Amino acid sequence: MTTPLADRLAALAASPGPEGSDGPPPAPPAPETPADRPGTPPDHTNTHSSTHPPADHPQVLAQVLADRPDGTVVRSGRTVAKAHAPDADPQDLAARLRIAAHPLLHGILLPPLPLTAPGGFLLLADDGRALTRWPYGSPVAPDDPDAVPWEDVARLLARLHRVDPRQLPGPVPPMRGPAKAARALTRLRGAVDDGPAEAVPRPLRAAAAAVERAWYGLPPWARDEVPPPRAASLCHGDLHLGQLVRHPATGGRWLLIDVDDLGLGDAAWDLARPAAWFATGLLAPDIWTRFLTAYRAAGGPALPPHGDPWAELEVPARALTVQTAALAVAKAVTGERAPDEAATAVIDACARMASLPEQLAPGGPVVR
């Protein structure tokens, strides 16, 4: 991150906004609904997480919470400012921000803070990069697996998927989950092809080949080559445990964050990462059952209320497995991070998917 960008984000986070307010009022109560954390794969990073002072302390020096190519986040006191990916489409992002601020999303998504009046939530830096401002929320504790609120995540997703897109400010952009998966494959290819072949160890080259074969075993819509057959639900698009914060930071409710991939798509995509974790042995069966039961009890439309969910989950779960494996291999090739246990599990799953198309995990579940 460049010093000018850090300074701009710090100033933006510390600014009072166009109305001089510190942030939005607490979200209204959520409506009633019908009645071992996995090893975090390499691309699961919470943009609100870091070692930080007391969460509600009003005067905190600016601190960098995340600095990655796809986003930089700086906190100052009760607010954070974010520089979005350089290639983010400002029009689509502005639409996503308006949706996140809409009353129908209260209690589901963390709302953005205004930056320009009236009702503007986005500024452009001198280089055209989109900047936004948000309330600070406290993340899921990375060192406390028992504190992961699986049922809350499931209920939030069910409520998100039940929102009627026709009542939202439009046009609602497409959900970018498949595009994100395709981008992971592009990153893998760039890492493997950049430099002489002998620079990539044989095991990593074999892993990359297995990921490629698993990728081409997916239908075209999951590879972002054609529109998905089902695209009527409002989806988060990149659901993982790093996309969850409490707001207010002390004792507040859980809310979803990061709307960069929000849009219309197949709601099953938002369930795919937990499904892939379960299928590859990274999520305990009882936790998966709790998550699935809570989603169905809350009226989540991605799955039938009873019976085997895998007819809807198979393709998205495979796609997220391939995406996670592609990023893991790319990072290993570039020396950024060696594959850990979770990364090895999804790489092995890709090898099984390539050689035995019906087998996502050893010993089950068999994904048909």
Side-chain angles (χ1 to χ4, degrees), residues 206-218 318 321-322 346-361:
V211 172
E212 286 279 7
R213 290 194 299 272
W215 176 248
Y216 283 107
L218 297 171
R318 288 175 181 271
T321 299
V322 175
V346 292
I347 293 168
D348 290 347
C350 286
R352 288 190 296 274
M353 289 160 56
S355 59
L356 298 170
E358 293 185 353
Q359 193 71 43
L360 179 61

Side-chain angles (χ1 to χ4, degrees), residues 157 160-161 174-181 234-240 243 256 258-263 266-267 269-271 273 320 323:
L157 287 178
L160 178 70
H161 297 161
M175 182 267 287
R176 296 179 66 245
K180 199 162 191 136
L234 184 65
C235 306
H236 183 276
D238 187 31
L239 191 281
H240 56 78
Q243 307 288 36
L256 298 172
D258 286 356
V259 298
D260 300 65
D261 303 302
L262 182 78
D266 185 343
W269 196 277
D270 284 345
L271 310 180
R273 195 169 260 123
L320 265 295
Q323 174 185 321

